[in-house]
Amino acid sequence: MNLTVLGAGAWGTALAASACLRQPTQLWARDAAQAAAMQRERCNARYLPDAPLPAALTISSDLAAALAHARDGLLVIATPMAGLEGLLRRIGAEAAGVLWLCKGFQEGTGRLGHEIARDVAPALRCGVLSGPSFAIEVARGQPTALVAASSDAALAERAVEAFHGDSLRVYTSSDPVGVEVGGAVKNVMAIATGIADGMALGLNARAALITRGLAEMTRLGLALGARAETFMGLSGLGDLVLTTTGDLSRNRQVGLRLAAGLALPQILAELGHVAEGVLSAPTVLQRARSLGVAMPITEAVVGVLQGRVTPAEALAALMGREARPEH
């Protein structure tokens, strides 16, 4: 099948580079100069400089041509969450199938990807591709497992056909809500764990944060209609462990640097990439409060990000909470 990936950041580039070895694949970059440089130099110098691009991958900034290429195949949106709605409106219901890679709640509205799609393109066959995956490892062909989630079983199977191969294993799920909640909340927990590790709180504290973070993630997911078992899978526990402990995680790096006393604007400028947890943490908390779901770790992270409390004060607030049953 023909495959188009919209968005030439690190993850979109890595996935397109992997897929083009099996399917005719185009990668669309919004910046014409970036697209031309990538096509000429066979490298994404800004986002993935250490991964040469296969000759089979075509890179372009022509959105109409990119959409036409995948009209009867599969379209993958690899922009940050802020770009999802605009592209879904451009696509309409013409595409044979659309998956998005972006993780988070939409800033301002608090919507997940499937809620955005339901509002702007209700007839679209769509879903989410997620799981524990650092882009550079996928680009290098290192073993990775993902989950394709959609209420449309045939679309999830199409994702398997497009991406499943020697180094990339793709499972299917019929719970896109759970997969999306996992992908959004794990970024917030990665900031929390980065702060704890930056404060040298120890491995006991790290394990506690990951475990209680999983509990927060699951509570929110269940309130939104997800299934509990999803959070024990790749997009829940799997992505949570990777993002909270792996130093390639941008969100973990934000936490480490906050603990070192750096200001958030400086941290984000130095990263040079989007750290979705920074954008989505306040929205995650807002959505949780509207549902009556307690998320104390998320609340502490938001307080630190907004400069209302220091990391030490956030820790004291968490440790000072009343004792209660674990479940």
Side-chain angles (χ1 to χ4, degrees), residues 89-125:
R89 290 187 183 279
R90 293 286 300 272
I91 294 164
E94 297 179 3
V98 177
L99 296 172
W100 48 83
L101 309 179
C102 37
K103 300 175 180 179
F105 288 82
Q106 187 181 46
E107 191 174 11
T109 70
R111 293 180 298 178
L112 289 164
H114 76 278
E115 294 171 315
I116 297 171
R118 183 183 61 203
D119 291 344
V120 305
L124 188 66
R125 299 179 63 200

Side-chain angles (χ1 to χ4, degrees), residues 5-217:
V5 178
L6 301 178
W11 187 208
T13 300
L15 197 63
S18 175
C20 77
L21 304 178
R22 294 179 295 278
Q23 313 286 349
T25 303
Q26 287 193 13
L27 175 63
W28 173 80
R30 181 178 57 183
D31 186 316
Q34 180 195 12
M38 290 173 62
Q39 179 70 16
R40 181 179 64 254
E41 299 167 8
R42 310 314 300 170
C43 174
N44 187 336
R46 179 175 181 183
Y47 293 110
L48 213 60
D50 298 327
L53 300 177
L57 179 62
T58 301
I59 304 112
S60 169
S61 61
D62 186 336
L63 181 58
L67 295 178
H69 175 77
R71 182 164 292 123
D72 298 320
L74 185 62
L75 189 63
V76 177
I77 298 176
T79 64
M81 179 58 72
L84 179 60
E85 181 174 354
L87 282 174
L88 287 176
R89 290 187 183 279
R90 293 286 300 272
I91 294 164
E94 297 179 3
V98 177
L99 296 172
W100 48 83
L101 309 179
C102 37
K103 300 175 180 179
F105 288 82
Q106 187 181 46
E107 191 174 11
T109 70
R111 293 180 298 178
L112 289 164
H114 76 278
E115 294 171 315
I116 297 171
R118 183 183 61 203
D119 291 344
V120 305
L124 188 66
R125 299 179 63 200
C126 60
V128 57
L129 185 65
S130 191
S133 48
F134 287 139
I136 186 60
E137 294 190 3
V138 171
R140 290 172 178 162
Q142 293 177 268
T144 302
L146 302 173
V147 57
S150 175
S151 56
D152 185 330
L155 177 61
E157 290 295 340
R158 184 175 292 185
V160 175
E161 180 184 348
F163 298 110
H164 194 91
D166 293 341
S167 62
L168 195 59
R169 185 169 182 83
V170 182
Y171 293 82
T172 60
S173 168
S174 58
D175 183 18
V177 177
V179 168
E180 288 198 304
V181 171
V185 177
K186 61 95 181 180
N187 286 328
V188 181
M189 298 307 154
I191 296 174
T193 309
I195 292 172
D197 287 350
M199 295 173 67
L201 298 183
L203 298 179
N204 294 348
R206 178 194 285 184
L209 273 173
I210 293 172
T211 306
R212 297 313 301 164
L214 180 61
E216 289 194 15
M217 176 190 294

Side-chain angles (χ1 to χ4, degrees), residues 308-327:
R308 291 185 284 105
V309 295
T310 66
E313 290 168 340
L315 171 66
L318 286 173
M319 295 302 293
R321 298 179 71 240
E322 292 182 3
R324 64 193 65 212
E326 183 180 14
H327 300 293

Side-chain angles (χ1 to χ4, degrees), residues 130-132 145-147 171 173 175 178-179 182-183 186 214 217-218 227-242:
S130 191
L146 302 173
V147 57
Y171 293 82
S173 168
D175 183 18
V179 168
K186 61 95 181 180
L214 180 61
M217 176 190 294
T218 304
R227 297 198 298 267
E229 61 268 24
T230 300
F231 299 101
M232 296 306 296
L234 290 167
S235 63
L237 181 60
D239 213 356
L240 179 63
V241 169
L242 179 76

